[in-house]
Amino acid sequence: MLITVDPTSAAPLFDQIATAVRLAVVRGELSAGERLPSARELAESLDLNVHTVLHAYRTLRDEGLLEVRRGRGATVSTTGGRDFRDLRAALDTLVAEGDRLGLTRQALAGLLTHEETR
């Protein structure tokens, strides 16, 4: 799994990391029990502060997607091992419909965010 961040993005760096991990789980690139890089290793590879990565890992832990244990690192929880095929199919349909309507991915994300707050 490759995690990248865009320092020029308006999204906070910790959120970019958390989103990358979420996507990897939903896409099946990460499965239950799989270990993520240590916070220190990931921070060094991304040239970030280790606390930024820890913030992302804690966020994912609070969501139930990761299990984080001191000295043992972060692993994908059994919840993260769920079958996301139906969700991926729904997302593919959403993206295809957005493409048909000429909407960008950013516009689709904005619509989802707006619906979430309604």
Side-chain angles (χ1 to χ4, degrees):
M1 174 190 69
L2 177 66
I3 294 177
T4 60
V5 294
D6 178 2
T8 64
S9 171
L13 295 170
F14 82 90
D15 192 41
Q16 292 181 48
I17 295 167
T19 297
V21 173
R22 283 186 205 102
L23 286 173
V25 170
V26 169
R27 290 178 178 151
E29 297 166 8
L30 287 173
S31 54
E34 198 162 339
R35 185 178 304 277
L36 274 67
S38 74
R40 180 163 310 191
E41 290 170 344
L42 186 56
E44 286 176 6
S45 72
L46 296 173
D47 197 25
L48 297 174
N49 185 299
V50 71
H51 295 287
T52 302
V53 176
L54 288 171
H55 189 172
Y57 282 6
R58 281 191 303 269
T59 298
L60 294 166
R61 178 202 61 202
D62 293 347
E63 292 173 4
L65 198 63
L66 292 185
E67 294 175 0
V68 180
R69 294 206 170 96
R70 175 175 243 124
R72 299 177 99 191
T75 57
V76 178
S77 70
T78 53
T79 304
R82 290 181 292 192
D83 184 353
F84 289 100
R85 282 182 288 194
D86 290 342
L87 177 61
R88 286 195 311 265
L91 289 171
D92 289 343
T93 301
L94 175 67
V95 169
E97 183 64 12
D99 288 346
R100 187 183 73 73
L101 296 171
L103 296 173
T104 65
R105 300 300 186 275
Q106 186 175 10
L108 284 174
L111 288 170
L112 288 171
T113 302
H114 176 72
E115 287 299 316
E116 181 179 289
T117 59
R118 237 206 278 177

